[in-house]
Amino acid sequence: MPDSTHPTPLLERDHWRDLSGPWRFCYDDEGHWKHPSEVTFDREIQVPYPPESRRSGIHDEAFHRVVWYGLTLTLTPEERADRLLLHFGAVDYSATVWVNGRLVAQHDGGHTPFTADITQQAQAGETVEIVLRAQDNPHDLTKPRGKQDWQLRPHSIWYPRTTGIWQTVWLERVPETYLHRLTWTSDMERWELGLRLEVAGPLPPGLSVRVRLFRNQELLADDRYGLRHAELARQIALPDPGIDDFRNDLLWSPGHPQLLRARVDLMVGEQVIDRVRSYTALRSVCVKGNRFLLNGRPYYLKMVLDQGYWPDSLMTATDEELRRDVELTRQLGFNGARKHQKIESPRWLYWCDVLGLLVWEEMPSPYRFTPAAVRRLTHEWQEVLERDMSHPCIVAWVPFNESWGVPDLPTNPAHRDYVRALYHLTKTLDPSRPVIGNDGWEHVATDILTIHDYADDPATLRQRYGTLETTRLTLSQQQPADRVLTLAGFQETDQPVMLSEFGGIAYIPDQSSGWGYSQSQSEADFLNDYAVLLAAIYDCHGLSGFCYTQLTDTFQEKNGLLYADRSPKANLLALARSTQGNRTAREMTIDPLMNPYGNTARWLNRQYEALMTPEVAEDAEE
């Protein structure tokens, strides 16, 4: 059976080894050491938790510019015989890696993965010595850093820093020629799935790739293509049942997250030389007029802002914690999450795919506008798109938030050109999803007009967004947060309008320090204030959806529906009723994904088990 915690569930092999656990560690604040031979390790850290976190065993939140990691591995005979890849899920910010004293990798970007081929080092002996140097200037505001604070202690809306390794490190055995990358796309109009793949290594004669797609145990497609080059792009036609009721069984949505399992074999003649498991889905997202469309139908977005921090581990979480966040989001009645200023682990996106949660993926911001900041953000954003484009749960890309990194949008043409450039670059690399150029205000290029408005008076919200006419008037005249919503030159074409941040009600029963955009004094008041506010949103017919702030308390921000430890602040069913527009409990239990009484519905468990179960029909055929 496949390992259900594989770090890259869209490209999963059997032969891999998780390197999480104790590594040697030290600080090098002045950056004196340049090579592993110079380093003196003086402590131990639990990878992949950052040294600022309690779970790391270090828990040092002071400023540190350079950190070093070391690990000695004993290799298996198979690892010494095959090609061996060393993967890093994310290292913040600049990483340099040596194996047995030889430089094998360098990477800039704190949120995206990189890989080193360490085959030569592995074949040299039974052990390998891995050393990583991470440089992360805590005061540098030109690198994409998201919510990581540049002050010593978290203040306002910023949180503790993350330095060095913070996502999984693992070894993977591959053959000499192997499948390097798969990218899936969906064409619902033609009832086809697109596959683009890349092969690494030499291309022997007779090379081909076999692709099989399954819905549960049903074989939907079995195609084979010859390979003459390292890249291949093909469209895989699926059997079209024709009638909508039958078609809907194959489509992915939050109410029916039907995934299609994929088995991809790289072959020379009839011999399989590499095999990976993956998955995809048939679904479409777009905007049309003032509506967001999912699978060609208007779909009202009920989203929540998700910061992706945990009290003891900061930006790093276990697979169980990531899954639980998705389950809680669904149990609270939401159909989507806006992951805020963070590129989350692929494991979280996997659970959104499996359990059915729409995602807006947002690039962590730098805070200065300089040539270096432009280069860094543009490069890392392209790596983000490459990593995550195949996840069906992602329905929108957000390169900028609230003009962070482009602070002079209203007055500086270069800032406006930069936002437009990232908007169009994103559309070029992925034309299948909406793009929000700058979420919140000061729009210059966007497919959805998003507004951040923390007005806590329901009457004010109804006045501003109650009808299409008042909403358009608000767009042209109102200034929530004292920011204009659209800038001169923006071509408005009746795009959907969403409140992509609102609410932020704080409930702090222990009277600890913290804040929200408004505050409730008791659990009953909290439930009522949330219900009244959400009722007002549902009365706002000029909106195509909302994103409530926020899922959990996050350090000094105490405006979550859940506490930081993920326990609910009030009755989950009552909160979910308000999120869903005051649906009755009976109506809610009809929809298995909205069921607040359990972790997941039986249908979801069957879906997950089917995804993880070996292909019975396929194995029988072989």
Side-chain angles (χ1 to χ4, degrees), residues 445-481:
T446 190
D447 296 320
I448 300 174
L449 281 161
T450 58
I451 304 171
H452 295 179
D453 188 342
Y454 284 100
D456 58 2
D457 179 6
T460 300
L461 294 173
R462 290 186 177 95
Q463 180 182 15
R464 290 175 177 173
Y465 312 108
T467 66
L468 289 173
E469 291 74 17
T470 59
T471 301
R472 295 295 164 179
L473 190 64
T474 297
L475 287 168
S476 63
Q477 296 183 2
Q478 294 286 339
Q479 295 189 16

Side-chain angles (χ1 to χ4, degrees), residues 519-536:
Q519 189 159 341
S520 301
Q521 300 305 315
S522 68
E523 181 178 335
D525 288 343
F526 180 61
L527 283 171
N528 181 71
D529 292 343
Y530 182 70
V532 168
L533 191 65
L534 269 292

